[in-house]
PDB file of all heavy atoms in Angstrom:
ATOM      1  N   THR A   9     -51.785  21.373 -34.719  1.00  0.00           N
ATOM      2  CA  THR A   9     -50.470  21.646 -35.313  1.00  0.00           C
ATOM      3  C   THR A   9     -49.707  20.343 -35.508  1.00  0.00           C
ATOM      4  O   THR A   9     -49.985  19.352 -34.828  1.00  0.00           O
ATOM      5  CB  THR A   9     -49.649  22.594 -34.402  1.00  0.00           C
ATOM      6  OG1 THR A   9     -48.417  22.929 -35.048  1.00  0.00           O
ATOM      7  CG2 THR A   9     -49.311  21.957 -33.049  1.00  0.00           C
ATOM      8  N   SER A  10     -48.776  20.336 -36.431  1.00  0.00           N
ATOM      9  CA  SER A  10     -47.916  19.167 -36.649  1.00  0.00           C
ATOM     10  C   SER A  10     -46.790  19.107 -35.629  1.00  0.00           C
ATOM     11  O   SER A  10     -46.240  18.044 -35.368  1.00  0.00           O
ATOM     12  CB  SER A  10     -47.276  19.244 -38.035  1.00  0.00           C
ATOM     13  OG  SER A  10     -46.459  20.404 -38.119  1.00  0.00           O
ATOM     14  N   THR A  11     -46.434  20.264 -35.098  1.00  0.00           N
ATOM     15  CA  THR A  11     -45.168  20.380 -34.375  1.00  0.00           C
ATOM     16  C   THR A  11     -45.367  21.227 -33.136  1.00  0.00           C
ATOM     17  O   THR A  11     -45.985  22.291 -33.198  1.00  0.00           O
ATOM     18  CB  THR A  11     -44.112  21.073 -35.275  1.00  0.00           C
ATOM     19  OG1 THR A  11     -44.177  20.521 -36.597  1.00  0.00           O
ATOM     20  CG2 THR A  11     -42.715  20.902 -34.723  1.00  0.00           C
ATOM     21  N   LEU A  12     -44.844  20.774 -32.006  1.00  0.00           N
ATOM     22  CA  LEU A  12     -44.851  21.601 -30.801  1.00  0.00           C
ATOM     23  C   LEU A  12     -43.495  22.277 -30.643  1.00  0.00           C
ATOM     24  O   LEU A  12     -42.468  21.754 -31.089  1.00  0.00           O
ATOM     25  CB  LEU A  12     -45.171  20.749 -29.575  1.00  0.00           C
ATOM     26  CG  LEU A  12     -46.621  20.269 -29.471  1.00  0.00           C
ATOM     27  CD1 LEU A  12     -46.819  19.465 -28.191  1.00  0.00           C
ATOM     28  CD2 LEU A  12     -47.594  21.450 -29.506  1.00  0.00           C
ATOM     29  N   HIS A  13     -43.508  23.418 -30.006  1.00  0.00           N
ATOM     30  CA  HIS A  13     -42.280  24.173 -29.768  1.00  0.00           C
ATOM     31  C   HIS A  13     -41.216  23.288 -29.114  1.00  0.00           C
ATOM     32  O   HIS A  13     -41.487  22.623 -28.122  1.00  0.00           O
ATOM     33  CB  HIS A  13     -42.588  25.375 -28.869  1.00  0.00           C
ATOM     34  CG  HIS A  13     -41.377  26.177 -28.535  1.00  0.00           C
ATOM     35  ND1 HIS A  13     -40.696  26.921 -29.479  1.00  0.00           N
ATOM     36  CD2 HIS A  13     -40.701  26.347 -27.373  1.00  0.00           C
ATOM     37  CE1 HIS A  13     -39.667  27.515 -28.913  1.00  0.00           C
ATOM     38  NE2 HIS A  13     -39.644  27.191 -27.634  1.00  0.00           N
ATOM     39  N   GLY A  14     -40.021  23.275 -29.695  1.00  0.00           N
ATOM     40  CA  GLY A  14     -38.911  22.526 -29.119  1.00  0.00           C
ATOM     41  C   GLY A  14     -38.903  21.054 -29.494  1.00  0.00           C
ATOM     42  O   GLY A  14     -38.026  20.311 -29.056  1.00  0.00           O
ATOM     43  N   GLN A  15     -39.890  20.644 -30.302  1.00  0.00           N
ATOM     44  CA  GLN A  15     -39.950  19.236 -30.714  1.00  0.00           C
ATOM     45  C   GLN A  15     -39.736  19.118 -32.223  1.00  0.00           C
ATOM     46  O   GLN A  15     -39.735  20.106 -32.944  1.00  0.00           O
ATOM     47  CB  GLN A  15     -41.324  18.645 -30.374  1.00  0.00           C
ATOM     48  CG  GLN A  15     -41.618  18.553 -28.884  1.00  0.00           C
ATOM     49  CD  GLN A  15     -42.836  17.682 -28.602  1.00  0.00           C
ATOM     50  OE1 GLN A  15     -43.372  17.025 -29.495  1.00  0.00           O
ATOM     51  NE2 GLN A  15     -43.266  17.675 -27.350  1.00  0.00           N
ATOM     52  N   THR A  16     -39.547  17.878 -32.676  1.00  0.00           N
ATOM     53  CA  THR A  16     -39.434  17.649 -34.112  1.00  0.00           C
ATOM     54  C   THR A  16     -40.832  17.445 -34.706  1.00  0.00           C
ATOM     55  O   THR A  16     -41.811  17.243 -33.978  1.00  0.00           O
ATOM     56  CB  THR A  16     -38.572  16.404 -34.420  1.00  0.00           C
ATOM     57  OG1 THR A  16     -39.184  15.287 -33.783  1.00  0.00           O
ATOM     58  CG2 THR A  16     -37.147  16.592 -33.902  1.00  0.00           C
ATOM     59  N   LEU A  18     -44.094  16.168 -35.956  1.00  0.00           N
ATOM     60  CA  LEU A  18     -45.009  15.077 -35.576  1.00  0.00           C
ATOM     61  C   LEU A  18     -44.635  14.357 -34.282  1.00  0.00           C
ATOM     62  O   LEU A  18     -45.343  13.415 -33.870  1.00  0.00           O
ATOM     63  CB  LEU A  18     -45.134  14.016 -36.704  1.00  0.00           C
ATOM     64  CG  LEU A  18     -45.753  14.482 -38.020  1.00  0.00           C
ATOM     65  CD1 LEU A  18     -45.749  13.327 -39.023  1.00  0.00           C
ATOM     66  CD2 LEU A  18     -47.181  15.005 -37.823  1.00  0.00           C
ATOM     67  N   TYR A  20     -44.873  14.770 -31.023  1.00  0.00           N
ATOM     68  CA  TYR A  20     -45.830  14.556 -29.927  1.00  0.00           C
ATOM     69  C   TYR A  20     -46.999  13.654 -30.346  1.00  0.00           C
ATOM     70  O   TYR A  20     -47.727  13.135 -29.502  1.00  0.00           O
ATOM     71  CB  TYR A  20     -46.347  15.902 -29.395  1.00  0.00           C
ATOM     72  CG  TYR A  20     -47.437  16.553 -30.213  1.00  0.00           C
ATOM     73  CD1 TYR A  20     -48.771  16.526 -29.790  1.00  0.00           C
ATOM     74  CD2 TYR A  20     -47.153  17.189 -31.413  1.00  0.00           C
ATOM     75  CE1 TYR A  20     -49.781  17.119 -30.533  1.00  0.00           C
ATOM     76  CE2 TYR A  20     -48.161  17.780 -32.165  1.00  0.00           C
ATOM     77  CZ  TYR A  20     -49.475  17.746 -31.718  1.00  0.00           C
ATOM     78  OH  TYR A  20     -50.458  18.331 -32.465  1.00  0.00           O
ATOM     79  N   GLU A 193     -52.537  24.714 -29.933  1.00  0.00           N
ATOM     80  CA  GLU A 193     -51.446  23.822 -30.314  1.00  0.00           C
ATOM     81  C   GLU A 193     -51.185  22.804 -29.201  1.00  0.00           C
ATOM     82  O   GLU A 193     -50.959  23.200 -28.057  1.00  0.00           O
ATOM     83  CB  GLU A 193     -50.186  24.632 -30.620  1.00  0.00           C
ATOM     84  CG  GLU A 193     -50.380  25.526 -31.832  1.00  0.00           C
ATOM     85  CD  GLU A 193     -49.150  26.365 -32.162  1.00  0.00           C
ATOM     86  OE1 GLU A 193     -48.210  26.413 -31.352  1.00  0.00           O
ATOM     87  OE2 GLU A 193     -49.143  26.968 -33.253  1.00  0.00           O
ATOM     88  N   GLY A 194     -51.219  21.527 -29.550  1.00  0.00           N
ATOM     89  CA  GLY A 194     -51.083  20.465 -28.560  1.00  0.00           C
ATOM     90  C   GLY A 194     -52.402  19.728 -28.350  1.00  0.00           C
ATOM     91  O   GLY A 194     -52.420  18.668 -27.731  1.00  0.00           O
ATOM     92  N   SER A 195     -53.481  20.296 -28.889  1.00  0.00           N
ATOM     93  CA  SER A 195     -54.797  19.649 -28.803  1.00  0.00           C
ATOM     94  C   SER A 195     -55.124  18.947 -30.114  1.00  0.00           C
ATOM     95  O   SER A 195     -54.648  19.349 -31.171  1.00  0.00           O
ATOM     96  CB  SER A 195     -55.896  20.685 -28.547  1.00  0.00           C
ATOM     97  OG  SER A 195     -55.722  21.324 -27.317  1.00  0.00           O
TER      98      SER A 195
ATOM     99  N   THR B 167     -43.129  30.819 -29.206  1.00  0.00           N
ATOM    100  CA  THR B 167     -43.260  29.362 -29.189  1.00  0.00           C
ATOM    101  C   THR B 167     -44.434  28.910 -30.060  1.00  0.00           C
ATOM    102  O   THR B 167     -44.666  27.726 -30.212  1.00  0.00           O
ATOM    103  CB  THR B 167     -43.505  28.853 -27.750  1.00  0.00           C
ATOM    104  OG1 THR B 167     -44.720  29.439 -27.264  1.00  0.00           O
ATOM    105  CG2 THR B 167     -42.360  29.246 -26.829  1.00  0.00           C
ATOM    106  N   LYS B 169     -46.548  28.017 -33.342  1.00  0.00           N
ATOM    107  CA  LYS B 169     -46.088  27.445 -34.610  1.00  0.00           C
ATOM    108  C   LYS B 169     -46.936  27.879 -35.810  1.00  0.00           C
ATOM    109  O   LYS B 169     -46.715  27.412 -36.921  1.00  0.00           O
ATOM    110  CB  LYS B 169     -46.086  25.915 -34.516  1.00  0.00           C
ATOM    111  CG  LYS B 169     -45.281  25.357 -33.352  1.00  0.00           C
ATOM    112  CD  LYS B 169     -43.822  25.737 -33.375  1.00  0.00           C
ATOM    113  CE  LYS B 169     -43.039  24.863 -34.341  1.00  0.00           C
ATOM    114  NZ  LYS B 169     -41.581  25.093 -34.204  1.00  0.00           N
TER     115      LYS B 169
END
Side-chain angles (χ1 to χ4, degrees):
Chain A
T9 184
S10 62
T11 316
L12 288 182
H13 178 68
Q15 294 193 8
T16 59
L18 296 178
Y20 80 104
E193 295 179 350
S195 297
Chain B
T167 60
K169 305 300 280 189

